[in-house]
Amino acid sequence: MSQVQIAQKEPYAVTIEAGKKYAWCACGRSAKQPYCDGAHKGTNILPVLFEAESSETVYLCGCKHTKGHPFCDGSHNQLP
Ligand code: FES
């Protein structure tokens, strides 16, 4: 099993656009945080695809430990 890496211990505030599709980096290895750049290759971790329902600012998880992916659920506060 590959481990997720912590990209940063706080969420990324990003603006998403209604109807657009996004791929949230779940492995923590992407250089284009919080989005996937293909760096998960060789791990068994896949990005989380989602489509924006409305245009808004959202907080995407940066620590990769959220249980509500792709969004921050506060889990970063429990990390050592
Ligand atoms: S940044 Fe991961 S839960 Fe907040």
Side-chain angles (χ1 to χ4, degrees), residues 6 8-12 24 59-68 70-79:
I6 297 170
Q8 66 175 25
K9 281 190 185 172
E10 57 186 50
Y12 292 92
W24 173 74
Y59 295 87
L60 298 182
C61 172
C63 76
K64 313 305 178 183
H65 285 69
T66 181
K67 293 181 178 60
F71 305 105
C72 172
D73 71 350
S75 294
H76 60 272
N77 290 313
Q78 314 301 328
L79 296 173

Side-chain angles (χ1 to χ4, degrees), residues 5-22:
Q5 292 180 4
I6 297 170
Q8 66 175 25
K9 281 190 185 172
E10 57 186 50
Y12 292 92
V14 294
T15 302
I16 57 175
E17 284 178 51
K20 271 199 171 183
K21 295 187 171 116
Y22 298 90

Side-chain angles (χ1 to χ4, degrees), residues 28-48:
R29 291 163 175 78
S30 172
K32 293 186 178 165
Q33 293 296 331
Y35 302 116
C36 175
D37 73 351
H40 60 272
K41 281 196 182 69
T43 75
N44 56 0
I45 304 169
L46 294 173
V48 173

